[in-house]
Amino acid sequence: MSENQAPYELEITRTFNAPRDIVFQAWTDVDQLKQWWGPTGMKLEVSKLEVRPQGIFHYSMKSPEGHIMWGKFVFHEIVAPEKLVFVNSFSDEEANTVPAPFSADFPIEIKNTLIFSEQDGKTLLTMRGGPINATEAQLQFFKSMHESMQQGFGGTFDQLDAFLAKA
């Protein structure tokens, strides 16, 4: 991320009542990931999960109304069970990167870093993400969406919490 993009970075921290090995595995095992990833109310289908540098997580999400959106992660760094770095984007069915379906001003690519820290048998997850190769308009739009993204990830992390409680 370039210097001018750092102020636009979104940071979310969350504590999960599970050891970090278990939480890390929930992010990297296809059978686990498909049980909790994505916005609340969306049905997730996983096309591909390759947890390796330059590997991809390619998925679709279907709304209750039947609208389908595709997305992908391209992994850059994997340090099990401590760290995941990936670039997230919207995609098409063939995993080609495409603009966000809801706004041309949403950045094309978001670089995310997840840090998993174990504390007293629990896991502190710190997620930092921000636009890369973005225009000024895209940076401003991303910053304006921070509150909405906090809520969205809050719902996703609630689903992860529920999944970990059952596991």
Side-chain angles (χ1 to χ4, degrees):
M1 195 171 326
S2 70
E3 287 301 312
N4 71 327
Q5 291 168 313
Y8 300 95
E9 190 173 73
L10 175 68
E11 181 173 319
I12 300 172
T13 58
R14 179 80 172 248
T15 300
F16 295 97
N17 190 19
R20 80 174 174 173
D21 287 355
I22 302 294
V23 178
F24 187 87
Q25 191 174 27
W27 280 86
T28 57
D29 176 84
V30 68
D31 293 325
Q32 294 182 51
L33 191 58
K34 65 184 175 185
Q35 293 185 56
W36 66 269
W37 173 255
T40 306
M42 299 286 269
K43 181 178 179 350
L44 180 76
E45 293 290 333
V46 177
S47 285
K48 184 184 280 189
L49 178 62
E50 305 166 317
V51 183
R52 60 174 173 73
Q54 299 310 305
I56 69 166
F57 168 39
H58 183 224
Y59 58 93
S60 65
M61 298 179 291
K62 187 175 185 177
S63 73
E65 301 78 37
H67 178 70
I68 297 174
M69 282 192 304
W70 288 87
K72 71 175 177 180
F73 298 177
V74 176
F75 293 100
H76 287 259
E77 187 179 352
I78 298 119
V79 183
E82 302 166 17
K83 184 178 184 182
L84 283 174
V85 179
F86 57 89
V87 173
N88 188 209
S89 60
F90 287 91
S91 73
D92 62 17
E93 283 184 66
E94 288 80 42
N96 298 303
T97 301
V98 298
F102 52 86
S103 174
D105 284 331
F106 192 81
I108 301 291
E109 296 180 308
I110 309 295
K111 185 175 184 180
N112 293 287
T113 300
L114 299 154
I115 303 294
F116 302 80
S117 306
E118 189 154 342
Q119 299 174 335
D120 304 318
K122 296 181 180 186
T123 301
L124 175 66
L125 174 66
T126 303
M127 183 179 106
R128 287 188 190 93
I132 55 174
N133 306 314
T135 66
E136 186 60 34
Q138 290 171 329
L139 292 170
Q140 292 298 333
F141 188 83
F142 184 81
K143 190 171 185 177
S144 78
M145 298 259 323
H146 278 198
E147 187 175 323
S148 173
M149 289 185 289
Q150 289 267 6
Q151 290 173 356
F153 278 108
T156 297
F157 291 164
D158 288 347
Q159 292 171 167
L160 176 55
D161 248 341
F163 170 77
L164 292 168
K166 289 186 299 188

